[in-house]
Amino acid sequence: MYYDLVTELDPDLTQALQPHLSFSLNMSGEQAKIHHNAAFSFLYLLLSLGSQSFPGCVYTLRSTIPIGAGLGSSASISVCLSSALLLQMRALAGPHPDQPPGEAELQIERINRWAFVSELCIHRNPSGVDNTVATNGRAVHFKRHDYSKPPKAKALHNFPEVPLLLVNTKQARSTATEVAKVGALKRTYPEITEYILNAIDRVTESAQAIVSAPGFDPNDTSTSQTLGDLMNVNHGLLVALGVSHPRLERIRELVDSAGIGWSKLTGAGGGGSAIVLLKPNVAPDALNALQDQLDEEEFERFETTLGGDGVGVLWPAVLHNGTDEEGGEEIDQQKFLEARGRQGVERLVGVGSHEKREGWKFWRVGS
């Protein structure tokens, strides 16, 4: 069962878990729903993949990704849960640097399938694209037409790293709500909605052809302009589906007024975040002015890179304290819990913009 494709939740297990999810954290509304779904996904995977022979464990999870911002935070958590439990039950090989690509690909698919089950617990009707990207890393050309079959996902292992400005509206939204909104539109106007979805598909195919072309250079002015045009078209089509939000449109207005790049909503929309592709050689003063305006209007911004690694394992998890000596101080649960904020966690484990720790290992298929 550990290697099977699961496309729907087991109703008996789902029902059996409900009494254990009736807890109160003095929260209400969307926050309570987020905690409920996170607990449900963990318990569902634990009972599906776990064993009574497991020793007693304390599972500690922290996310440096804003929750409910359209950045795939639930998918990242789902991939971590899937990987941890599969490793604990010894159902994964690696990761290690000399692992054959075929073997690494098999492990990635195994992780991804159970991460999708976790996404089912959280979103009920996920596309599967977020967990696929979080597992594989880089970029993925993804299509899913029939939910009874695996999606068509082609990992773009040589996808180049592209710098982005990521802007969080701080407007809470629900993926399930936005997906249901598009579903309702499709039932009311099936032919028109299908035309819009097909147009989005064509835009995606066009962008994928550009970034996959030999010699692709994200710093080329003409190439950036073409990608920017496609982003504008894509966003307009998503607006037609009704999944934008005034805060997202305000980000686009500010970026367009600054004249330094192109932006579009990301994730399910309805709030969440927008990504900004900057023009090559943007003047620092113009970028600073935009960032100041975003700060003034209480947007949250991150400078990030598109096309990073996927799921990995930090082992051994030690601090060398700036020396080359063997061993080192263990990154234990206490240190993990006491790390302050996003930057503290990233600095401790060595990810993000901070120096990479040598212990990180990834299931890599391509170069």
Side-chain angles (χ1 to χ4, degrees):
M1 65 171 289
Y2 304 123
Y3 314 135
D4 293 341
L5 174 66
V6 179
T7 58
E8 58 184 16
L9 299 178
D10 183 295
D12 293 333
L13 178 55
T14 299
Q15 183 176 0
L17 284 173
Q18 296 312 306
H20 304 282
L21 299 172
S22 300
F23 54 87
S24 173
L25 296 173
N26 296 321
M27 296 178 182
S28 60
E30 193 62 30
Q31 283 296 315
K33 183 179 178 181
I34 289 171
H35 282 263
H36 176 279
N37 289 342
F40 177 37
S41 65
F42 169 70
L43 291 175
Y44 192 98
L45 260 63
L46 178 65
L47 293 180
S48 297
L49 297 174
S51 167
Q52 292 183 352
S53 64
F54 275 8
C57 294
V58 176
Y59 298 90
T60 306
L61 189 149
R62 295 186 66 181
S63 175
T64 61
I65 303 175
I67 296 173
L71 302 178
S73 60
S74 69
S76 297
I77 289 172
S78 295
V79 170
C80 288
L81 292 177
S82 171
S83 303
L85 291 168
L86 287 168
L87 281 168
Q88 189 176 9
M89 62 169 291
R90 303 180 185 275
L92 294 176
H96 49 83
D98 57 347
Q99 190 167 25
E103 182 180 280
E105 188 171 16
L106 178 63
Q107 314 313 308
I108 288 173
E109 178 59 25
R110 195 165 292 166
I111 293 168
N112 192 34
R113 287 187 174 191
W114 282 100
F116 179 69
V117 175
S118 175
E119 286 281 86
L120 282 171
C121 295
I122 296 171
H123 299 300
R124 305 300 185 266
N125 187 30
S127 67
V129 63
D130 284 355
N131 53 277
T132 301
V133 174
T135 306
N136 284 271
R138 303 299 174 190
V140 173
H141 185 234
F142 182 97
K143 283 189 177 184
R144 189 181 190 96
H145 296 295
D146 186 347
Y147 275 69
S148 66
K149 299 177 181 178
K152 294 181 179 179
K154 179 183 178 183
L156 308 178
H157 299 296
N158 297 317
F159 189 88
E161 294 190 347
V162 179
L164 292 176
L165 181 64
L166 193 63
V167 185
N168 181 9
T169 65
K170 297 185 180 179
Q171 173 65 42
R173 26 66 82 212
S174 165
T175 297
T177 299
E178 299 306 311
V179 170
K181 191 186 298 183
V182 176
L185 185 70
K186 190 173 183 180
R187 287 191 297 272
T188 306
Y189 306 104
E191 189 173 343
I192 294 174
T193 306
E194 193 65 27
Y195 277 124
I196 296 173
L197 294 173
N198 287 337
I200 291 174
D201 180 66
R202 294 295 295 272
V203 170
T204 304
E205 294 282 358
S206 298
Q208 192 265 336
I210 292 171
V211 299
S212 299
F216 168 73
D217 181 5
N219 295 315
D220 178 73
T221 302
S222 176
T223 300
S224 294
Q225 180 67 53
T226 303
L227 286 176
D229 291 342
L230 291 172
M231 286 179 65
N232 283 337
V233 173
N234 179 266
H235 181 85
L237 292 167
L238 292 169
V239 170
L241 290 176
V243 295
S244 188
H245 185 275
R247 291 277 285 175
L248 289 166
E249 296 308 311
R250 179 56 178 163
I251 293 171
R252 282 181 51 78
E253 182 181 356
L254 292 173
V255 172
D256 289 347
S257 297
I260 64 172
W262 307 269
S263 63
K264 67 174 291 293
L265 69 85
T266 185
S273 299
I275 55 173
V276 180
L277 175 65
L278 300 173
K279 293 181 179 179
N281 304 315
V282 167
D285 289 346
L287 180 57
N288 289 336
L290 172 64
Q291 292 176 335
D292 289 344
Q293 186 67 40
L294 291 169
D295 292 344
E296 183 179 330
E297 299 192 21
E298 298 186 348
F299 292 103
E300 185 179 23
R301 55 183 173 81
F302 306 88
E303 293 184 27
T304 187
T305 302
L306 179 68
D309 282 307
V311 60
V313 178
L314 178 60
W315 183 261
V318 295
L319 298 169
H320 291 288
N321 299 320
T323 70
D324 294 327
E325 65 185 28
E326 290 294 324
E329 188 178 359
E330 180 185 4
I331 303 175
D332 58 15
Q333 183 188 36
Q334 182 177 356
K335 287 186 176 62
F336 190 51
L337 288 173
E338 291 178 351
R340 298 185 62 181
R342 176 175 60 88
Q343 291 186 347
V345 173
E346 290 184 348
R347 187 175 295 109
L348 178 68
V349 301
V351 297
S353 59
H354 305 285
E355 182 180 352
K356 299 283 186 183
R357 298 218 176 278
E358 294 180 358
W360 277 107
K361 300 174 180 65
F362 300 91
W363 285 277
R364 288 197 173 109
V365 178
S367 58

